[in-house]
Amino acid sequence: KNEVEQSPQNLTAQEGEFITINCSYSVGISALHWLQQHPGGGIVSLFMLSSGKKKHGRLIATINIQEKHSSLHITASHPRDSAVYICAVRSAGSYQLTFGKGTKLSVIP
Amino acid sequence: GAVVSQHPSRVICKSGTSVKIECRSLDFQATTMFWYRQFPKQSLMLMATSNEGSKATYEQGVEKDKFLINHASLTLSTLTVTSAHPEDSSFYICSASAPGAHTGEAFFGQGTRLTVV
């Protein structure tokens, strides 16, 4: 079974700061997802990646398959970025996801 | 991107009653949907995998007679919490994976916050 570890567990940042959230996993995967969960509970899929790097607006996700590690970066953070960010991995041949425990981000004006 | 709609978003019910939660894929056909449960400040826990036209596959420790899953069409899966107890109070969320251009991507419903009183 894949073990997914996220760090940090909690993160408080000032508006405008550059933020990095890390995710590591123990077993090879077919894809890694970064998800955003707002206080109301709804979950939005930010990225799905299996190699390299993806960028969407102020968000950047990278993955290193050899090191079994991914990072989510937020540039010029804003209070509306405050949410729980969850890393989830998918094994080959399956649609099932294994989730990290999440990183709670609070961006202060 | 693909859209998954979950209903209701909040429900309060009395102990002993049953509650049905619907999960619909609005613009794609989902042969497989997943049901998760999330306790406060914890990660999502997979309850069961719902397969269209066949029985759901339940995770260890999840009572299939208590959490009834029906996936009667390619766009709808339902989770029924039967004889609800206060300890069933939780946040339930579904997801589906879309075929085609979005293959492998996970799309989540809005979630249902269940409170059993």
Side-chain angles (χ1 to χ4, degrees):
Chain A
K1 185 183 174 182
N2 221 331
E3 301 290 334
V4 181
E5 298 287 339
Q6 276 185 246
S7 63
Q9 193 173 351
N10 291 283
L11 180 57
T12 300
Q14 288 291 133
E15 183 173 357
E17 283 186 7
F18 180 83
I19 287 161
T20 296
I21 300 170
N22 296 298
C23 175
S24 61
Y25 51 93
S26 58
V27 180
I29 60 172
S30 61
L32 182 143
H33 298 251
W34 280 104
L35 311 170
Q36 180 190 56
Q37 185 172 31
H38 278 279
I43 292 177
V44 174
S45 178
L46 299 175
F47 294 104
M48 181 184 77
L49 63 165
S50 54
S51 65
K53 175 180 174 178
K54 286 190 176 181
K55 184 176 189 293
H56 186 256
R58 294 180 295 106
L59 302 178
I60 303 167
T62 63
I63 188 168
N64 185 316
I65 295 295
Q66 287 72 32
E67 295 187 3
K68 297 185 176 64
H69 180 270
S70 175
S71 293
L72 176 68
H73 306 285
I74 304 176
T75 61
S77 60
H78 191 276
R80 65 174 174 266
D81 297 326
S82 298
V84 175
Y85 291 84
I86 302 169
C87 168
V89 300
R90 180 162 57 86
S91 300
S94 171
Y95 282 127
Q96 278 194 24
L97 296 176
T98 303
F99 297 86
K101 292 185 177 179
T103 295
K104 184 176 181 181
L105 170 66
S106 301
V107 182
I108 300 169
Chain B
V3 177
V4 173
S5 176
Q6 187 173 339
H7 178 82
S9 58
R10 287 181 179 273
V11 59
I12 300 172
C13 72
K14 292 184 177 180
S15 289
T17 62
S18 295
V19 174
K20 180 185 282 189
I21 303 170
E22 292 187 349
C23 181
R24 292 180 185 273
S25 56
L26 296 186
D27 51 359
F28 67 98
Q29 293 181 332
T31 54
T32 303
M33 291 185 176
F34 301 93
W35 287 97
Y36 301 93
R37 183 173 182 176
Q38 186 180 36
F39 290 105
K41 298 187 178 180
Q42 293 193 23
S43 190
L44 286 82
M45 282 177 27
L46 179 65
M47 297 176 67
T49 303
S50 170
N51 302 297
E52 186 269 335
S54 65
K55 291 183 178 180
T57 304
Y58 289 81
E59 295 299 298
Q60 194 172 9
V62 177
E63 299 175 58
K64 60 181 70 175
D65 294 331
K66 180 164 187 63
F67 298 99
L68 299 179
I69 290 173
N70 185 288
H71 195 154
S73 77
L74 285 170
T75 58
L76 174 64
S77 176
T78 60
L79 168 67
T80 301
V81 182
T82 62
S83 188
H85 279 246
E87 54 263 33
D88 298 326
S89 299
S90 189
F91 186 72
Y92 295 86
I93 192 164
C94 67
S95 78
S97 289
H102 298 289
T103 297
E105 287 199 56
F107 298 96
F108 290 83
Q110 301 92 325
T112 298
R113 190 161 302 281
L114 170 64
T115 303
V116 184
V117 298

PDB file of all heavy atoms in Angstrom, chain B residues 14-18 82-85 116-117:
ATOM      1  N   LYS B  14     -33.084  12.212  11.675  1.00  0.00           N
ATOM      2  CA  LYS B  14     -33.239  11.606  13.001  1.00  0.00           C
ATOM      3  C   LYS B  14     -32.623  10.216  13.029  1.00  0.00           C
ATOM      4  O   LYS B  14     -32.592   9.515  12.004  1.00  0.00           O
ATOM      5  CB  LYS B  14     -34.722  11.512  13.369  1.00  0.00           C
ATOM      6  CG  LYS B  14     -35.377  12.871  13.610  1.00  0.00           C
ATOM      7  CD  LYS B  14     -36.813  12.699  14.059  1.00  0.00           C
ATOM      8  CE  LYS B  14     -37.439  14.051  14.367  1.00  0.00           C
ATOM      9  NZ  LYS B  14     -38.851  13.909  14.819  1.00  0.00           N
ATOM     10  N   SER B  15     -32.170   9.821  14.183  1.00  0.00           N
ATOM     11  CA  SER B  15     -31.639   8.461  14.350  1.00  0.00           C
ATOM     12  C   SER B  15     -32.667   7.442  13.903  1.00  0.00           C
ATOM     13  O   SER B  15     -33.861   7.575  14.183  1.00  0.00           O
ATOM     14  CB  SER B  15     -31.296   8.201  15.816  1.00  0.00           C
ATOM     15  OG  SER B  15     -30.169   8.916  16.216  1.00  0.00           O
ATOM     16  N   GLY B  16     -32.176   6.443  13.192  1.00  0.00           N
ATOM     17  CA  GLY B  16     -33.068   5.373  12.753  1.00  0.00           C
ATOM     18  C   GLY B  16     -33.622   5.551  11.361  1.00  0.00           C
ATOM     19  O   GLY B  16     -34.140   4.598  10.772  1.00  0.00           O
ATOM     20  N   THR B  17     -33.525   6.753  10.825  1.00  0.00           N
ATOM     21  CA  THR B  17     -34.027   6.979   9.469  1.00  0.00           C
ATOM     22  C   THR B  17     -32.919   6.731   8.461  1.00  0.00           C
ATOM     23  O   THR B  17     -31.756   6.544   8.818  1.00  0.00           O
ATOM     24  CB  THR B  17     -34.563   8.403   9.311  1.00  0.00           C
ATOM     25  OG1 THR B  17     -33.490   9.330   9.541  1.00  0.00           O
ATOM     26  CG2 THR B  17     -35.685   8.673  10.308  1.00  0.00           C
ATOM     27  N   SER B  18     -33.300   6.715   7.191  1.00  0.00           N
ATOM     28  CA  SER B  18     -32.339   6.493   6.107  1.00  0.00           C
ATOM     29  C   SER B  18     -32.174   7.764   5.290  1.00  0.00           C
ATOM     30  O   SER B  18     -33.107   8.542   5.142  1.00  0.00           O
ATOM     31  CB  SER B  18     -32.804   5.353   5.197  1.00  0.00           C
ATOM     32  OG  SER B  18     -32.811   4.143   5.909  1.00  0.00           O
ATOM     33  N   THR B  82     -28.388   3.722   5.860  1.00  0.00           N
ATOM     34  CA  THR B  82     -29.596   3.142   6.437  1.00  0.00           C
ATOM     35  C   THR B  82     -29.523   3.144   7.956  1.00  0.00           C
ATOM     36  O   THR B  82     -28.443   3.052   8.541  1.00  0.00           O
ATOM     37  CB  THR B  82     -29.790   1.693   5.949  1.00  0.00           C
ATOM     38  OG1 THR B  82     -28.680   0.902   6.400  1.00  0.00           O
ATOM     39  CG2 THR B  82     -29.859   1.626   4.438  1.00  0.00           C
ATOM     40  N   SER B  83     -30.699   3.281   8.573  1.00  0.00           N
ATOM     41  CA  SER B  83     -30.794   3.282  10.023  1.00  0.00           C
ATOM     42  C   SER B  83     -29.673   4.133  10.635  1.00  0.00           C
ATOM     43  O   SER B  83     -28.820   3.641  11.387  1.00  0.00           O
ATOM     44  CB  SER B  83     -30.713   1.839  10.551  1.00  0.00           C
ATOM     45  OG  SER B  83     -30.993   1.797  11.928  1.00  0.00           O
ATOM     46  N   ALA B  84     -29.687   5.388  10.270  1.00  0.00           N
ATOM     47  CA  ALA B  84     -28.593   6.290  10.634  1.00  0.00           C
ATOM     48  C   ALA B  84     -28.465   6.440  12.148  1.00  0.00           C
ATOM     49  O   ALA B  84     -29.463   6.476  12.878  1.00  0.00           O
ATOM     50  CB  ALA B  84     -28.805   7.653   9.989  1.00  0.00           C
ATOM     51  N   HIS B  85     -27.208   6.528  12.602  1.00  0.00           N
ATOM     52  CA  HIS B  85     -26.884   6.757  14.005  1.00  0.00           C
ATOM     53  C   HIS B  85     -26.058   8.036  14.098  1.00  0.00           C
ATOM     54  O   HIS B  85     -25.430   8.444  13.113  1.00  0.00           O
ATOM     55  CB  HIS B  85     -26.056   5.590  14.550  1.00  0.00           C
ATOM     56  CG  HIS B  85     -26.868   4.411  14.927  1.00  0.00           C
ATOM     57  ND1 HIS B  85     -26.993   3.962  16.227  1.00  0.00           N
ATOM     58  CD2 HIS B  85     -27.615   3.579  14.173  1.00  0.00           C
ATOM     59  CE1 HIS B  85     -27.776   2.911  16.247  1.00  0.00           C
ATOM     60  NE2 HIS B  85     -28.164   2.646  15.017  1.00  0.00           N
ATOM     61  N   VAL B 116     -26.731  13.442  12.115  1.00  0.00           N
ATOM     62  CA  VAL B 116     -27.778  12.564  12.632  1.00  0.00           C
ATOM     63  C   VAL B 116     -28.042  12.942  14.088  1.00  0.00           C
ATOM     64  O   VAL B 116     -27.122  12.939  14.912  1.00  0.00           O
ATOM     65  CB  VAL B 116     -27.366  11.080  12.540  1.00  0.00           C
ATOM     66  CG1 VAL B 116     -28.518  10.188  12.983  1.00  0.00           C
ATOM     67  CG2 VAL B 116     -26.941  10.728  11.123  1.00  0.00           C
ATOM     68  N   VAL B 117     -29.296  13.291  14.353  1.00  0.00           N
ATOM     69  CA  VAL B 117     -29.635  13.768  15.705  1.00  0.00           C
ATOM     70  C   VAL B 117     -30.539  12.758  16.424  1.00  0.00           C
ATOM     71  O   VAL B 117     -31.120  11.887  15.810  1.00  0.00           O
ATOM     72  CB  VAL B 117     -30.306  15.145  15.656  1.00  0.00           C
ATOM     73  CG1 VAL B 117     -29.350  16.164  15.067  1.00  0.00           C
ATOM     74  CG2 VAL B 117     -31.606  15.086  14.860  1.00  0.00           C
TER      75      VAL B 117
END
